[in-house]
Amino acid sequence: MELIVRYKNLNGGVKLFELFLFIDPLCKACRNSENTVLKISEDVDSKFKLQFIPIYNLKVVQTDYCNSNNQLKKRLSSEQLADLYKNVVLDYKAALFQGMKKGRKFLTEMQDCLLTDALSYSDEMAISIAEDCGLDVDMFIEDRRSNLAKNAIKKDQELVQNMKIEKPASAVIFNCENSKDGILTDNIEYSTLFNACCDKNLTTEYLQDALSEDNLNETKMKHFRIIK
């Protein structure tokens, strides 16, 4: 579950990063964050391996953390919302079993149907999207309510806790070349992430200096913090 960014630095070397994007799968702001990360993957001369990780708990189901005017949370009852989140997250995990790119495509198409087109979720919709994404539909149907998918969700939530994620639209980045520490940000903004990875190499030492009391007011990295 990682985003690996490889790009040539000024010395001709290759940098290796891991990034985890944590999302509310039924939030328009999180959908925009996904687009931001995807745009970076297109604009940087690098190979990317992307993973969007859904935060699945009662607070996320009930709360519009990103202030995205979430109509689903206004329109549906608590029970209906809980069922919708469960179904979407399970479907997404089942799609991921057939490859991260296909899984990511499945998620974004599901989000567009529910959030943009305001369609109602159904098994038929999920299966139709699976077909559009080139999934093995029989395998998808078998996996989408399996214990394997449920266990994968549990592992995701353990990662949410271990990485100290407090709200959706947050990312954790690791510079595998220079640090074992992660960099957490809840500011999924194109230029900030792009510059952090490409211009500053995102080392712990750089962040410690940027986030120091003397430099905090001048740095664009004030939305970042170091996690162990």
Side-chain angles (χ1 to χ4, degrees):
M1 294 181 290
E2 61 193 28
L3 158 61
I4 297 181
V5 187
R6 295 180 179 87
Y7 63 88
K8 294 182 179 179
N9 63 16
L10 295 178
N11 296 321
V14 175
K15 294 296 179 182
L16 177 63
F17 294 87
E18 293 181 320
L19 184 151
F20 302 83
L21 179 63
F22 296 88
I23 59 167
D24 174 344
L26 296 178
C27 166
K28 286 186 177 181
C30 287
R31 179 72 178 89
N32 292 336
S33 295
E34 295 163 21
N35 285 337
T36 297
V37 174
L38 288 168
K39 181 170 174 54
I40 291 175
S41 73
E42 294 171 354
D43 292 348
V44 177
D45 185 17
S46 311
K47 291 183 179 180
F48 282 74
K49 204 174 181 181
L50 304 175
Q51 178 69 25
F52 303 147
I53 302 177
I55 306 175
Y56 179 50
N57 57 43
L58 187 60
K59 287 185 178 179
V60 166
V61 171
Q62 295 181 340
T63 307
D64 186 5
Y65 274 98
C66 300
N67 298 316
S68 62
N69 190 28
N70 194 314
Q71 295 301 308
L72 287 174
K73 295 185 180 182
K74 294 179 179 179
R75 185 173 73 247
L76 300 180
S77 69
S78 297
E79 183 177 353
Q80 288 172 323
L81 268 177
D83 285 342
L84 178 59
Y85 270 83
K86 179 185 69 176
N87 290 331
V88 169
V89 175
L90 281 170
D91 287 346
Y92 172 45
K93 300 313 293 187
L96 280 174
F97 294 153
Q98 299 189 41
M100 284 192 289
K101 287 185 177 180
K102 288 183 178 180
R104 186 169 65 248
K105 183 179 180 183
F106 176 90
L107 175 65
T108 55
E109 288 199 17
M110 175 67 76
Q111 290 171 319
D112 290 343
C113 286
L114 297 174
L115 300 175
T116 303
D117 300 335
L119 300 177
S120 298
Y121 175 89
S122 66
D123 290 341
E124 291 76 16
M125 171 192 287
I127 293 170
S128 176
I129 294 172
E131 291 175 343
D132 290 342
C133 295
L135 297 179
D136 181 321
V137 174
D138 289 338
M139 184 180 297
F140 173 74
I141 292 173
E142 181 179 350
D143 288 339
R144 62 197 291 260
R145 299 297 178 266
S146 67
N147 288 331
L148 187 63
K150 294 175 183 177
N151 289 334
I153 294 172
K154 290 180 181 179
K155 290 182 179 179
D156 281 349
Q157 305 324 300
E158 291 173 2
L159 194 62
V160 170
Q161 293 183 348
N162 292 338
M163 290 191 175
K164 305 174 184 177
I165 305 302
E166 297 179 353
K167 60 182 181 179
S170 296
V172 175
I173 312 170
F174 291 89
N175 182 339
C176 300
E177 299 290 324
N178 297 307
S179 176
K180 293 182 180 180
D181 296 333
I183 308 301
L184 170 64
T185 181
D186 59 5
N187 181 34
I188 310 301
E189 194 271 332
Y190 178 87
S191 62
T192 300
L193 287 178
F194 186 95
N195 291 333
C197 290
C198 295
D199 294 343
K200 300 301 183 180
N201 297 333
L202 209 65
T203 63
T204 301
E205 293 75 15
Y206 166 70
L207 261 297
Q208 287 174 336
D209 181 64
L211 298 176
S212 68
E213 186 174 349
D214 292 337
N215 296 328
L216 186 58
N217 291 332
E218 300 179 5
T219 182
K220 294 181 179 180
M221 309 300 289
K222 59 186 178 180
H223 293 286
F224 287 69
R225 64 185 176 91
I226 299 168
I227 62 171
K228 301 294 183 179

